[in-house]
Amino acid sequence: ALAYAGLRDENRRLRALVGGGADLGAIVGSSSSLRAFLDDLRLAADSDATVLLFGESGTGKELAARAIHEGSPRHAGPLVVVDEV
């Protein structure tokens, strides 16, 4: 089980390195600033850090949160979306 978990984690890291980590398909664009942002999402997904996303309505915070969650080791667990009114 430990060997399997190690291989799974290595596979996840390698996929992130070649762009196949977090599911970023819903986020489209090709600007240099967006590419840098997507790299940050991949790094956040691979870390154990807590991430807070905030900004104006309609800016893609939930898409970013889903990308981080799907690329993280906790992707099998639930993603809890909180909407502040």
Side-chain angles (χ1 to χ4, degrees), residues 8 12 68-79:
R8 186 187 63 222
R12 185 174 290 121
I68 292 169
H69 179 73
E70 288 301 316
S72 78
R74 301 180 216 164
H75 70 278
L79 170 65

Side-chain angles (χ1 to χ4, degrees), residues 12-30:
R12 185 174 290 121
R13 282 191 301 277
L14 292 172
R15 284 178 188 241
L17 286 174
V18 296
D23 178 18
L24 303 175
I27 301 174
V28 294
S30 60

